[in-house]
Amino acid sequence: MSQPPRDSFKVPESVLVVIHTPELEVLLINRADAPGFWQSVTGSKDHRGEDLSQTAAREVFEETGIACGPGTLLHAGLRDWGISNIYDIYPRWLHRYAPGVTRNTEHVFGLCVPAGTPVLLDPREHTAFRWLPWREAADACFSPSNAEAILLLPEFLR
């Protein structure tokens, strides 16, 4: 597989955003490039200097259509949980990163939204969504770090 131009490599630092309601219903989205891979919102920084909260708000909007950046009604519900995970990048996606990059650092955020918040998926990235009770959502995730984050959700609502 040919390598992308150097300036198009992904930054190996990303966010995981657990979108949930006050009643602990969690939004999961199904990846278009990996059917059956249910997950929360994830995405890499656009550039190394991008603030993590900006990355989180941008990715949430790009992947779900939910606006939570500064100046929006939902911005107060976006919280950095202060958790980071370092993991091996799945081999199927290594070509997106610079040669030799094999690990990613993922920063966990939560976003509390009202029940019934509309979701508008980008069909190039995700094919379906569903709201599940938090324990069921954790069980449905393909990523262990995503499942672990969802299981911590009740602790972040105190």
Side-chain angles (χ1 to χ4, degrees), residues 3-132:
Q3 292 290 332
R6 186 142 189 85
D7 61 353
S8 66
F9 289 128
K10 289 183 71 153
V11 176
E13 190 171 13
S14 65
V15 296
L16 166 68
V17 185
V18 177
I19 301 174
H20 63 90
T21 67
E23 299 79 27
L24 301 181
E25 295 283 316
V26 173
L27 176 66
L28 293 183
I29 50 183
N30 191 31
R31 293 185 65 97
D33 63 357
F37 279 36
W38 289 92
Q39 65 181 51
S40 295
V41 167
T42 62
S44 296
K45 288 180 161 189
D46 267 351
H47 53 85
R48 290 198 183 276
E50 184 177 36
D51 180 78
L52 289 168
S53 62
Q54 290 175 316
T55 305
R58 177 181 49 76
E59 287 292 337
V60 166
F61 185 73
E62 288 174 4
E63 295 188 10
T64 68
I66 298 171
C68 64
T72 65
L73 293 175
L74 296 178
H75 183 65
L78 181 64
R79 295 182 49 207
D80 183 343
W81 288 2
I83 299 170
S84 296
N85 302 304
I86 299 173
Y87 61 86
D88 291 331
I89 298 166
Y90 285 94
R92 72 187 301 164
W93 293 306
L94 278 172
H95 69 277
R96 297 176 177 176
Y97 297 86
V101 172
T102 61
R103 296 178 65 82
N104 183 71
T105 302
E106 170 185 81
H107 304 274
V108 182
F109 284 74
L111 174 62
C112 187
V113 300
T117 296
V119 175
L120 179 62
L121 299 178
D122 177 347
R124 294 170 298 172
E125 291 198 48
H126 299 94
T127 59
F129 71 91
R130 58 186 174 169
W131 292 92
L132 293 172

